[in-house]
Amino acid sequence: MTIHLERGTTDLPILEAVKINLKNLPKSFTWGALLSGFLIVLISTTVPIAILFQAAEAGNFTDRQLASWLLTVFIGSGVFGLVLTLRHGMPIIGAWAAATTALLVTGLTSHSYAEVLGAYVIASIALIIVGVTGLFGKLMSLVPRPVVMAMLAGVLFRFGVEVFSSLKTDALLGLGMILMFFIGKRFKWRAPVVPALLVGLVIGFLEKELVNPNIQVAITAPLWVTPEFTLGSVLTLALPIFLLVMTTQNATGTAVLYNSGYEPPINNVVTIGGVISLLSAPFGNSGVNISAMTAAIATQKDADPNPKTRYFAGFACGIFYIILGLFGATVMGFFGTLPPVLLAVLAGLALIPVIGSCTNEALENPDYREAGLVTLLITVSGISAFNLGAPFWGLVGGVLVHEILTRKRK
């Protein structure tokens, strides 16, 4: 079967392409595209935010730091999507990687907030270099993908475990959310985490577990924190963040576009994501990139039957992101009313499919099975040495085991 690739306005000069797509924007409007953009942002205010709040708790963030983080990840994702969507005339969705945010839940216990921001800066510069030089494919071959997937599965493993360990705290709330989530999976709902959240809110309200809301509608101001650079944070955080963004976000997100009949501009995607991440890192942005988990919502026929006008979904998503980002403190106030067990179950449920697919990819190929398993076990163990965390040692162990086994066979 031949796939017809939509190039959009990629071949045109930048200003001309943006001008054409802006001019055709009213004609490209459909309710399906608008609702798709809204649904993507709705999902992003549930699962990734729940993980972000857990990371903020691990790092003892102040309210201003957390509000600034929310501001930058939302606006950064919105600007990323708007720039690339209007430039290339295809629905390119921005996001921040839930996997890299999950990495910080453990990283913030051994590194300061300033060191984490320094790791963001280093990872962003590395992404810019890859995007400008076009070295995406070559760099992807340096570390075996099964090893990277095993590291990601190890990082996310604790979130899956917390789905069920949280039942010790509130069995009714946890079981209700778990049941609704898998009912949604059974009937192939687009976002089963959303009805799971609604069930959690209802049960939490009935159990009087919801904290009195302290929601203030106000524009959020960014907070500058000077990044600090240490070898430990670079190897433990920046290197895994770079690898995770390249493999789980950029590679997967562009594949979603390709499978939907588009020809994704991979170098521009990597470069623009790196630039926006670099400029906003000192304000708390954990990095923006092309979406992998929610991209399919905007690229399928349900959003718009016409692939040439479907870019309106990417435009709408970007606008919704920016509006929401301006009120980051308001979002923080809402999630501050939720019981910790609800956030833990919500984050874990959404990541269970990711954990499953990563583990499967890590162990599926017999040639990489032992290396993947070693990487997974080291990462889950939480060991550290020389101020370097388990994700780094998981990568080292997996690559080393793979080299030993392959050299032995040769």
Side-chain angles (χ1 to χ4, degrees):
M1 181 180 68
T2 300
I3 298 178
H4 174 67
L5 294 177
E6 294 289 341
R7 296 188 60 85
T9 50
T10 298
D11 295 330
L12 298 176
I14 296 177
L15 292 179
E16 183 179 350
V18 172
K19 182 178 178 180
I20 290 175
N21 288 324
L22 282 174
K23 181 180 179 181
N24 293 331
L25 200 61
K27 300 177 182 178
S28 302
F29 170 84
T30 63
W31 285 108
L34 182 67
L35 292 175
S36 294
F38 178 78
L39 180 59
I40 291 170
V41 176
L42 177 63
I43 295 173
S44 298
T45 55
T46 53
V47 179
I49 291 294
I51 301 172
L52 190 149
F53 264 74
Q54 290 186 326
E57 183 179 357
N60 296 316
F61 279 25
T62 65
D63 288 345
R64 287 195 63 195
Q65 287 174 334
L66 180 54
S68 182
W69 192 354
L70 291 170
L71 168 76
T72 54
V73 295
F74 276 125
I75 292 185
S77 299
V79 171
F80 174 93
L82 284 178
V83 169
L84 288 169
T85 292
L86 292 176
R87 166 67 182 94
H88 298 284
M90 59 184 72
I92 299 178
I93 305 300
W96 68 98
T100 59
T101 306
L103 180 67
L104 299 181
V105 175
T106 55
L108 281 165
T109 60
S110 55
H111 297 282
S112 68
Y113 182 48
E115 289 177 335
V116 169
L117 298 187
Y120 293 163
V121 170
I122 296 298
S124 301
I125 293 174
L127 289 168
I128 293 172
I129 293 173
V130 171
V132 171
T133 58
L135 293 176
F136 183 84
K138 292 182 179 180
L139 286 179
M140 290 290 290
S141 64
L142 293 180
V143 180
R145 181 176 172 88
V147 172
V148 177
M149 292 298 102
M151 181 194 69
L152 176 56
V155 169
L156 302 181
F157 190 82
R158 57 161 294 187
F159 292 92
V161 172
E162 285 184 1
V163 171
F164 304 98
S165 62
S166 62
L167 298 180
K168 300 176 185 177
T169 305
D170 193 332
L172 179 60
L173 188 147
L175 287 174
M177 293 181 66
I178 293 170
L179 181 62
M180 179 54 67
F181 175 79
F182 285 105
I183 289 175
K185 295 285 289 184
R186 166 66 178 81
F187 291 100
K188 298 181 180 181
W189 295 343
R190 275 189 174 185
V193 291
V194 176
L197 171 61
L198 295 177
V199 168
L201 290 174
V202 171
I203 296 176
F205 175 78
L206 295 176
E207 293 182 336
K208 299 181 180 179
E209 291 290 336
L210 301 182
V211 181
N212 292 330
N214 183 23
I215 302 176
Q216 298 178 352
V217 180
I219 301 295
T220 302
L223 176 65
W224 172 279
V225 175
T226 302
E228 294 181 6
F229 303 95
T230 64
L231 180 60
S233 63
V234 169
L235 295 179
T236 303
L237 295 176
L239 176 60
I241 287 172
F242 170 75
L243 292 174
L244 289 175
V245 169
M246 291 285 286
T247 55
T248 67
Q249 297 298 132
N250 290 333
T252 307
T254 52
V256 170
L257 282 169
Y258 183 87
N259 291 335
S260 297
Y262 295 98
E263 189 171 328
I266 180 60
N267 292 330
N268 282 359
V269 166
V270 177
T271 303
I272 295 298
V275 170
I276 295 176
S277 299
L278 177 63
L279 295 177
S280 54
F283 299 101
N285 191 354
S286 53
V288 297
N289 41 250
I290 190 170
S291 172
M293 295 176 63
T294 58
I297 295 176
T299 61
Q300 302 297 317
K301 293 181 179 180
D302 290 340
D304 184 348
N306 186 352
K308 294 183 179 180
T309 59
R310 202 176 295 160
Y311 74 93
F312 188 90
F315 174 82
C317 178
I319 295 298
F320 285 134
Y321 263 138
I322 292 174
I323 294 174
L324 192 64
L326 293 174
F327 298 95
T330 306
V331 176
M332 183 182 69
F334 169 74
F335 276 87
T337 67
L338 306 181
V341 62
L342 188 151
L343 293 175
V345 173
L346 184 67
L349 285 176
L351 292 175
I352 281 178
V354 182
I355 297 170
S357 62
C358 290
T359 305
N360 177 69
E361 188 169 352
L363 306 179
E364 182 179 23
N365 189 335
D367 292 337
Y368 294 93
R369 187 166 296 156
E370 292 88 350
L373 184 59
V374 168
T375 302
L376 173 63
L377 295 175
I378 292 176
T379 307
V380 171
S381 72
I383 64 169
S384 63
F386 307 106
N387 201 29
L388 302 176
F392 171 76
W393 292 117
L395 286 173
V396 171
V399 172
L400 182 60
V401 168
H402 176 65
E403 286 297 314
I404 292 173
L405 294 178
T406 54
R407 288 181 184 277
K408 181 179 179 181
R409 283 196 294 268
K410 290 178 183 178

